[in-house]
């Protein structure tokens, strides 16, 4: 970790070197450590230290980008010059007006000394707990335990100066028998919030009760989707349609639907980069403050997220959701929160006469972005529910489902939420979820 | 580089490593993208770094850094050893690499025209010409084109005495047209989806592709798809073009033959494999006409190289022989578990990633059919072209693919165009129902530059040689 002063000196040095009309420098630093295990053995254990400087040079309406991880004076000279050279080759971009001017950025806590100081031995100890629990149950554990420190900084020649250090800890395990598996996942910026014993125990229990699954016919079922499955849906909704560029190009499922009811009134999804219950990031890759954006409020599509380019096209201001320039995706919502409801999981199960419990999904992909149709498989614990009780484990199924339809078919919303891959979401009960195939395990 | 490599390897041994290797990599990446007549991106990236991999107390450790100095080499090597000692706290057996391996060699991708020697103006002019052709077609909302050139120079050295220098050059290009209708979007790509087709070739590849010459056709097809009927729901005969078949091979053969997956290394992330070791040599994966090889030696393949990232020479290996499953993709460690020697498929996505088993060029070998004869021989069915979506379960059995476009086949002729085409199946049943593969004239080596695997995530560049092929009794039209 370099720290704010050293990084600021690097950025100021690049700005001073740049011969562009306007210049922006993005610093992405990472010290990342990952311990991976399979067959109850650590089989990959890696560490990475990297820092990259990305320069965006503006010459009138021409924009060029160059990047390097050579942060020596010679390397910084070269990248500053390369960005200008690239810009010179460009035809003018009629829609480009300016890099963004500075706006106040609030300080957000997302850094934990405990996470930063976590050692390979600490990660091995955590992994060891899960592997022992699995071995005691004659099961096999696999997974990955990551701890990392990142530093994000942005400076531009119009006065933007932004710096944010962050930590992240992420522990995932799949515990397996011959014909079953159970899953557990914890994510936080403070590793000391992890309860590794509980995570391991839950995955072991799930692997035991999902043994010897039977085949169930595909069709429409009421499902309880655990938080892992809901988070995957929310991520794909963001990917397919929460960004302004997708709406402007007519590719988003929200195109023409802003202001309209698109889901059950209990569905609210916001993007909030300053909420410490997620993985907070107070500004985007242009150094613009992240605003809290209510994307879906009580079932009504309210807004999408913007970067400075897409905002200017509509005469708006950026909501602080730019990705590193250039990118084909446009602005991106990555600090997502689905508001919890009032139902506990037992009550959610009891409400289902005939349905399925889905732990998580695998290999999800969009089939139709305008209709928000996704396909994917269930994984790591799928169970039959009959008369309000979980009965038998079933073999995994393929779903092919419009998520816009699913948002309208929500029956229950869990009262607690879990952070999964950066999105904090509750479990949901959804009726008529469409399963179109089965597999052999 | 040699001094830095020796410094790391000596220090690793002094600190107790029974094996060590280092890769020092410098990579240049130039990406040019246009969209609707404007330059959407023009980026030049450069990166340098090294990674040290060691075995200590029978367990693996790996550390990497972007700072290539003697002091950092020392720090990172010591960290790799510390990490390996921590790994040894949770192990059930010691790592065995099999026979020691020592190669001193150099390898460089053969190119006719170095893609970095072509001016940015020329690259932009070509993409802009294709972009203009697409936008000439009424109804096209978004026209995109992109080009990428990569040069990666790697030094590999090991405590077993290997010292290998390689330079891999890649070039890729592609275009796509989007048409937006009432509540729907249709897309056509050329020559492949995922942005572009890529190969270990020079700029001659871009010239051969003739992007402007194909731009009008795909733009017209994208617009026509808006009013085309939905792909029918049926159980029917399916013919796939080479690009879609490449992804079918990738997902339903390439991944399940990765021996690290088979042994569970990817269990918590990408999944495992139905092709368990008891099936080697006796499992019928497909019909008699299905022959699949892994070939890292084929010139121009996106998965071609001289040596893998463990220093094992590139090889050609039979995988499926007349329908019978006969071989895996292996590493030194996994091959040793089967009493074999590595067939050289360990590759890392850069200096900051550990090598894992990756596809090389996984090729469906050509058959004997002419494409026109294949269509003429089909009474009823659907012909699908160019991938749009993909999904497969975590043992690689149940898959579902969508393609950008399809046409009905009736009485031996291509007819009605269909949109939103999808098909689904179970891997061995699907390949078992393959009854015809087109010949060498129709066989092309496609590049897939977005193969994801591993944690932390790694993106591999792999190849798939395919010609159109026919499959019987396939379920189509899942999305209505």
């Amino acid at each position: 970790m370099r720290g704010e002063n050293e990084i600021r000196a690097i950025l100021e040095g690049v700005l001073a070197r740049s011969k562009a009309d306007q210049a922006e420098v993005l610093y992405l630093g990472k010290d990342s450590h990952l311990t991976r295990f399979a067959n109850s053995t650590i089989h990959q254990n890696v560490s990475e230290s990297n820092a990259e400087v990305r320069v965006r040079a503006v010459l009138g309406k021409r924009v060029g980008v160059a990047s390097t991880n050579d942060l020596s004076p010679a390397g910084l000279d070269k990248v500053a010059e390369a960005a200008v050279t690239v810009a010179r080759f460009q035809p003018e971009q009629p829609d480009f007006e300016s890099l963004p001017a500075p706006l106040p950025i609030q300080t957000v806590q997302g850094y934990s000394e405990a996470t930063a100081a976590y050692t390979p031995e600490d990660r091995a100890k955590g992994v060891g707990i899960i592997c022992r629990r699995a071995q005691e149950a004659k099961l096999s554990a696999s997974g990955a335990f990551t701890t990392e420190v990142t530093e994000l900084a942005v400076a531009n020649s119009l006065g933007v100066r932004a710096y944010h250090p962050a930590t992240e800890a992420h522990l995932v395990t799949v515990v397996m028998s011959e014909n079953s598996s159970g899953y557990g996942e914890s994510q936080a910026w403070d590793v000391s919030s992890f309860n590794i014993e509980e995570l391991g125990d839950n995955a072991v229990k799930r692997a035991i009760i999902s043994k010897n699954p039977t085949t169930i016919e595909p069709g429409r079922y009421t499902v309880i989707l655990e938080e892992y499955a809901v988070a995957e849906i929310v991520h794909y909704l963001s990917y397919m349609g929460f960004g302004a560029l997708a709406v402007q190009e007519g590719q988003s499922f929200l195109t023409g639907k802003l202001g309209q009811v698109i889901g059950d009134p209990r569905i609210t999804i916001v993007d909030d980069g300053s909420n410490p219950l997620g993985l907070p990031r107070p500004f985007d890759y242009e150094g613009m403050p992240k605003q809290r954006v209510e994307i879906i409020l009580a079932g009504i599509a309210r807004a999408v997220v913007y970067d400075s380019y897409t905002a200017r096209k509509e005469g708006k201001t950026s909501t602080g959701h730019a990705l590193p320039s250039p990118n084909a995706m446009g602005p991106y919502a990555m600090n997502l929160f689905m508001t919890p409801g009032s139902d506990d999981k037992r009550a959610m199960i009891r409400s289902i006469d005939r349905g399925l419990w889905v732990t998580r999904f695998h290999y999800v992909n969009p089939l139709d972005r305008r209709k928000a149709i996704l396909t994917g498989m269930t994984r790591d614990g799928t169970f039959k529910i009959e008369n309000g009780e979980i009965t038998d484990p079933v073999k995994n199924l393929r779903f092919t489902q419009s998520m816009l339809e699913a948002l309208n078919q929500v029956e229950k919303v869990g009262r607690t939420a879990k952070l999964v891959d950066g999105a904090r979401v509750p479990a949901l009960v959804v009726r008529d979820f469409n399963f179109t195939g089965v597999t052999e395990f | 580089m040699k001094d830095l490599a020796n410094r790391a390897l000596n220090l690793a041994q002094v600190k107790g490593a029974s094996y060590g290797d280092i890769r020092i990599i410098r990579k240049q990446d130039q990406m040019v993208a246009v969209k609707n007549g404007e330059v959407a991106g023009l980026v030049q990236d450069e990166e340098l770094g090294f990674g040290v991999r060691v075995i200590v107390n029978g367990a693996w450790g790996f550390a990497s850094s972007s700072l290539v100095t003697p002091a950092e080499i020392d720090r990172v090597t010591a960290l790799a050893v510390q990490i390996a000692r921590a790994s040894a706290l949770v192990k059930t057996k010691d790592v065995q690499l099999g026979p020691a391996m020592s190669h001193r060699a150099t390898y460089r991708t053969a190119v006719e025209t170095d893609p970095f020697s072509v001016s940015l103006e020329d690259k932009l002019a070509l993409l802009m010409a294709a972009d203009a052709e697409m936008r000439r077609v009424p109804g096209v909302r978004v026209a995109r084109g992109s080009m990428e050139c990569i040069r990666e120079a790697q030094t590999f050295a090991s405590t077993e005495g290997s010292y290998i220098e390689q330079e891999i050059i890649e070039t890729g290009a592609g275009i796509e047209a989007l048409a937006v209708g009432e509540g729907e979007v249709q897309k056509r790509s050329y020559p492949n989806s995922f942005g572009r087709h890529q190969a270990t070739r020079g700029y001659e590849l871009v010239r051969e592709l003739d992007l402007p010459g194909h731009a009008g056709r795909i733009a017209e097809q994208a617009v026509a798809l808006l009013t085309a009927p939905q792909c029918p729901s049926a159980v029917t005969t399916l013919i796939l073009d080479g690009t879609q078949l490449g992804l079918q091979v990738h997902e339903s053969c390439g991944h399940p033959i990765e021996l690290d997956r088979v042994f569970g290394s990817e269990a918590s992330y990408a999944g495992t494999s139905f092709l368990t070791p008891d099936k080697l040599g006796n499992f019928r994966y497909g019909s008699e006409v299905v022959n699949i090889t892994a070939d890292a030696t084929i010139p121009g393949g996106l998965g071609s190289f001289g040596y893998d990232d463990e220093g094992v020479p590139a090889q050609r290996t039979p995988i499926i022989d007349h329908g019978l499953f006969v071989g895996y993709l292996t590493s030194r460690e996994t091959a040793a578990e089967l009493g074999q020697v590595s067939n050289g498929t360990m590759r890392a996505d850069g200096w900051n990633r550990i090598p894992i088993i990756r596809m090389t060029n996984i090729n469906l070998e050509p058959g004997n059919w002419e494409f026109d004869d294949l269509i003429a021989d089909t009474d009823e069915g659907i012909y699908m072209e160019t991938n749009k979506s993909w999904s497969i379960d975590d043992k690689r059995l149940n898959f579902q693919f969508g393609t950008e476009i399809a046409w009905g086949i009736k009485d031996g002729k291509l007819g009605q165009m269909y949109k939103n085409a999808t098909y689904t199946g179970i891997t061995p049943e699907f390949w078992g129902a393959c009854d015809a593969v087109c010949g060498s004239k129709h066989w092309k080596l496609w590049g897939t530059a977005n193969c994801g695997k591993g944690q932390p995530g790694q993106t591999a560049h792999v190849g798939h040689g395919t010609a159109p092929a026919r499959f019987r009794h396939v379920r189509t039209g899942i999305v209505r």
Side-chain angles (χ1 to χ4, degrees):
Chain A
M1 187 176 175
R2 275 197 163 81
E4 184 170 9
N5 290 339
E6 190 181 335
I7 291 170
R8 187 153 282 184
I10 291 170
L11 301 192
E12 298 292 352
V14 176
L15 289 178
R17 284 171 169 93
S18 177
K19 295 185 173 63
D21 298 340
Q22 295 181 347
E24 174 190 272
V25 195
L26 172 63
Y27 176 96
L28 298 157
K30 178 155 84 168
D31 283 294
S32 183
H33 315 282
L34 181 142
T35 300
R36 210 169 180 214
F37 53 109
N39 303 311
S40 304
T41 295
I42 293 175
H43 69 302
Q44 289 170 15
N45 205 348
V46 302
S47 168
E48 173 192 359
S49 176
N50 194 12
E52 173 190 311
V53 160
R54 200 168 179 85
V55 181
R56 179 156 58 145
V58 180
L59 298 173
K61 285 181 175 291
R62 301 167 201 269
V63 184
V65 177
S67 76
T68 185
N69 67 357
D70 178 359
L71 305 190
S72 67
L76 297 177
D77 278 342
K78 196 174 164 189
V79 75
E81 192 182 324
V84 170
T85 304
V86 167
R88 280 205 186 99
F89 278 106
Q90 300 258 21
E92 292 197 336
Q93 294 185 29
D95 288 340
F96 182 83
E97 286 187 15
S98 172
L99 294 175
L103 290 169
I105 294 168
Q106 69 176 111
T107 303
V108 175
Q109 175 66 349
Y111 181 88
S112 150
E113 283 296 345
T115 307
Y118 222 61
T119 65
E121 291 79 10
D122 292 332
R123 287 192 302 280
K125 195 175 150 197
V127 167
I129 289 167
I130 295 170
C131 290
R132 271 193 301 280
R133 293 281 210 277
Q135 285 169 319
E136 283 161 12
K138 298 193 168 26
L139 300 166
S140 170
S142 63
F145 194 170
T146 308
T147 52
E148 69 179 22
V149 179
T150 56
E151 290 175 288
L152 171 65
V154 187
N156 79 18
S157 53
L158 302 183
V160 166
R161 298 291 184 274
Y163 169 79
H164 178 68
T167 52
E168 183 182 339
H170 195 188
L171 175 57
V172 167
T173 188
V174 173
V175 174
M176 294 184 295
S177 77
E178 283 286 307
N179 57 22
S180 68
S181 57
Y183 187 71
E185 178 177 349
S186 289
Q187 186 180 37
W189 49 270
D190 184 357
V191 72
S192 52
S193 67
F194 282 9
N195 186 336
I196 296 174
E197 288 85 355
E198 187 180 276
L199 182 144
D201 284 345
N202 286 340
V204 166
K205 274 184 212 157
R206 191 66 63 91
I208 292 169
I209 62 170
S210 62
K211 280 182 180 176
N212 305 317
T214 56
T215 300
I216 191 168
E217 283 300 307
R220 290 191 178 266
Y221 290 89
T222 297
V223 289
I224 175 166
L225 303 174
E226 278 210 73
E227 295 89 339
Y228 306 121
V230 175
E232 185 112 29
I233 292 171
V234 169
H235 281 303
Y236 271 96
L237 289 174
S238 177
Y239 172 67
M240 292 189 293
F242 287 171
L245 185 66
V247 174
Q248 290 170 358
E249 290 182 341
Q251 296 195 63
S252 166
F253 59 88
L254 291 180
T255 302
K257 291 201 170 69
L258 290 174
Q260 296 178 14
V261 174
I262 63 160
D264 185 275
R266 285 164 294 183
I267 295 298
T268 290
I269 299 175
V270 302
D271 189 84
D272 188 355
S274 61
N275 189 332
L277 293 174
L279 297 173
R281 301 285 183 274
F283 56 87
D284 68 5
Y285 293 97
E286 292 182 315
M288 291 293 96
K290 280 191 178 240
Q291 295 173 21
R292 184 177 186 276
V293 180
E294 291 171 341
I295 298 166
I296 300 172
L297 184 66
I300 299 169
R302 291 289 298 270
V304 290
V305 300
Y306 290 85
D307 54 16
S308 65
Y309 181 81
T310 52
R312 200 168 286 126
K313 280 191 132 178
E314 295 184 32
K316 295 182 172 174
T317 53
S318 169
T319 57
H321 290 84
L323 292 176
S325 174
N327 74 84
M329 187 173 284
Y332 199 72
M334 56 177 75
N335 300 92
L336 291 159
F337 292 80
M338 181 183 275
T339 305
S342 57
D343 303 301
D344 75 17
K345 278 193 185 165
R346 284 182 189 282
M348 292 166 89
I349 295 166
R350 277 200 300 271
S351 72
I352 299 172
D353 286 338
R354 177 178 170 272
L356 295 170
W357 174 293
V358 175
T359 300
R360 64 186 285 235
F361 293 136
H362 175 77
Y363 221 140
V364 176
N365 241 321
L367 282 172
D368 185 330
R369 289 169 189 236
R370 282 294 293 260
K371 296 187 178 113
I373 299 175
L374 298 176
T375 188
M377 298 295 301
T378 64
R379 185 177 169 178
D380 299 327
T382 308
F383 302 91
K384 208 187 292 182
I385 299 173
E386 291 169 306
N387 301 319
E389 299 284 338
I390 294 174
T391 54
D392 303 316
V394 296
K395 291 183 181 176
N396 288 300
L397 295 112
R398 170 171 298 285
F399 69 91
T400 305
Q401 171 69 50
S402 161
M403 293 306 151
L404 280 179
E405 279 179 16
L407 290 179
N408 274 294
Q409 293 160 195
V410 169
E411 299 268 300
K412 304 258 178 212
V413 180
R415 70 177 173 207
T416 58
K418 184 175 174 65
L419 185 65
V420 182
D421 259 348
R424 184 169 280 277
V425 299
L428 295 177
V429 171
V430 180
R431 71 176 179 277
D432 294 332
F433 203 82
N434 188 29
F435 292 97
T436 53
V438 293
T439 192
E440 296 178 0
F441 59 93
Chain B
M1 290 299 173
K2 199 171 258 182
D3 290 346
L4 292 172
N6 285 337
R7 188 182 182 100
L9 299 177
N10 290 339
L11 183 62
Q13 287 174 308
V14 166
K15 287 188 170 290
S18 58
Y19 171 84
D21 61 38
I22 180 169
R23 288 175 302 113
I24 307 172
I25 295 175
R26 180 181 290 280
K27 183 177 176 185
Q28 284 176 275
D29 191 333
Q30 184 188 73
M31 197 278 294
V32 186
V34 303
K35 181 176 145 188
N36 287 348
E38 290 185 20
V39 177
L42 187 40
V43 185
Q44 290 193 160
D45 293 330
E46 265 198 57
E47 64 170 35
L48 174 67
F50 70 97
V52 176
R53 190 176 72 141
V54 297
I55 299 174
V56 182
N57 295 345
W60 284 113
F62 175 83
S64 63
S65 173
S66 58
L67 192 59
V68 186
T69 63
E72 186 71 348
I73 292 265
D74 291 352
R75 184 190 74 81
V76 167
T77 303
L79 178 58
V81 170
Q82 182 197 352
I83 288 171
R85 289 191 197 283
S87 300
L89 299 173
V90 185
K91 67 172 182 180
T92 50
K93 59 184 175 184
D94 286 354
V95 173
Q96 301 292 339
L97 289 181
M101 202 166 279
S102 175
H103 296 280
R104 305 182 84 78
T106 58
Y107 173 88
R108 185 174 190 272
T109 303
V111 297
E112 290 172 28
T113 305
D114 185 335
F116 289 92
S117 72
V118 178
S119 72
L120 280 170
E121 289 106 315
D122 286 355
K123 290 169 179 165
L124 277 170
L126 189 138
L127 289 175
M128 285 295 193
D131 181 280
E133 285 299 317
M134 287 188 280
R135 285 183 298 116
R136 219 188 294 280
V137 176
V140 168
R141 176 83 166 265
V142 180
R144 286 197 192 108
S146 69
M147 210 179 281
E148 185 171 34
C149 315
I150 297 172
R151 185 199 312 276
E152 185 175 284
Q154 171 169 300
T155 299
F156 171 89
S158 77
T159 52
E160 294 173 348
S162 281
Y163 190 84
I164 299 164
E165 290 186 325
Q166 285 196 97
E167 185 182 73
I168 306 288
I169 295 173
E170 292 181 15
T171 307
I175 53 174
E176 62 183 37
L178 266 73
V180 179
E182 191 57 44
E184 69 174 311
V185 180
Q186 293 295 338
K187 182 174 82 164
R188 283 294 282 139
S189 311
Y190 171 82
N192 203 349
S193 41
F194 317 116
R196 67 190 76 89
H197 166 51
Q198 200 144 309
T200 55
R201 297 187 61 195
Y203 199 72
E204 63 274 9
L205 171 77
V206 178
R207 293 193 179 107
E208 287 168 17
L209 290 176
D210 183 19
L211 300 179
H214 292 268
R217 174 181 58 83
I218 64 162
E220 284 164 7
Q221 287 178 344
V223 175
L225 281 167
L226 291 174
T227 50
Q230 289 273 351
C231 174
S233 292
V235 175
T236 188
T237 295
L238 175 68
I239 297 178
L240 296 177
D241 83 313
T243 58
Q244 172 56 33
L245 198 49
L247 197 66
Q248 178 76 51
V249 169
H250 181 97
E251 300 289 5
S252 66
C253 180
H255 279 304
I257 59 171
E258 296 161 345
L259 193 51
D260 55 352
R261 260 187 101 103
V262 174
F263 287 155
S265 297
E266 294 289 323
S268 66
Y269 181 60
T272 57
S273 171
F274 74 97
L275 284 171
T276 45
D278 55 297
K279 295 187 171 70
L280 185 62
N282 58 47
F283 178 74
R284 183 142 291 279
Y285 171 93
S287 70
E288 278 287 324
V289 301
V290 176
N291 290 286
I292 293 179
T293 55
D295 189 354
T297 68
I298 190 164
L302 194 56
S304 297
F305 46 83
Y307 293 81
D308 79 354
D309 291 338
E310 290 191 305
V312 178
Q315 293 165 47
R316 176 182 161 91
T317 307
I319 301 295
I320 309 292
D321 183 7
H322 292 90
L324 194 68
F325 167 53
V326 296
Y328 287 112
L329 304 176
T330 63
S331 62
R332 292 182 62 182
E333 182 182 2
T334 56
E337 290 205 34
L338 289 186
Q340 298 180 355
V341 177
S342 169
N343 53 27
T345 68
M346 285 285 270
R347 291 194 290 157
D349 180 13
W351 54 268
N352 52 356
R353 295 288 182 268
I354 199 166
I356 54 179
I357 292 176
R358 303 313 300 252
M359 290 174 230
T360 55
N361 302 296
I362 310 301
N363 303 328
L364 176 65
E365 296 297 321
N368 299 315
W369 284 78
E370 285 295 322
F371 180 72
D372 290 346
D373 293 345
L374 188 60
I375 297 291
D377 186 64
T378 305
D379 293 337
E380 186 155 9
I382 298 178
Y383 170 62
M384 295 191 190
E385 202 173 277
T386 317
N387 182 263
K388 188 160 87 171
S389 73
W390 64 101
S391 176
I392 190 163
D393 72 39
D394 55 292
K395 288 186 195 288
R396 302 272 149 180
L397 281 165
N398 178 307
F399 60 79
Q400 181 168 306
F401 290 101
T403 63
E404 290 183 353
I405 195 165
W407 288 269
I409 305 169
K410 190 86 178 160
D411 300 328
K413 290 192 176 70
L414 286 175
Q416 176 69 55
M417 176 189 289
Y418 294 123
K419 66 182 169 191
N420 302 335
T422 49
Y423 68 96
T424 188
I426 297 287
T427 296
E429 290 172 13
F430 181 79
W431 285 104
C434 179
D435 72 345
V437 180
C438 286
S440 306
K441 191 174 111 185
H442 306 279
W443 194 88
K444 273 190 84 166
L445 194 48
W446 298 101
T448 300
N450 64 341
C451 175
K453 184 180 172 183
Q455 293 172 295
Q458 301 197 38
T459 302
H461 292 192
V462 308
H464 300 293
T466 52
R470 184 170 66 186
F471 302 83
R472 300 292 194 180
H473 311 299
V474 180
R475 192 176 151 217
T476 63
I478 317 312
V479 181
R480 298 294 299 160

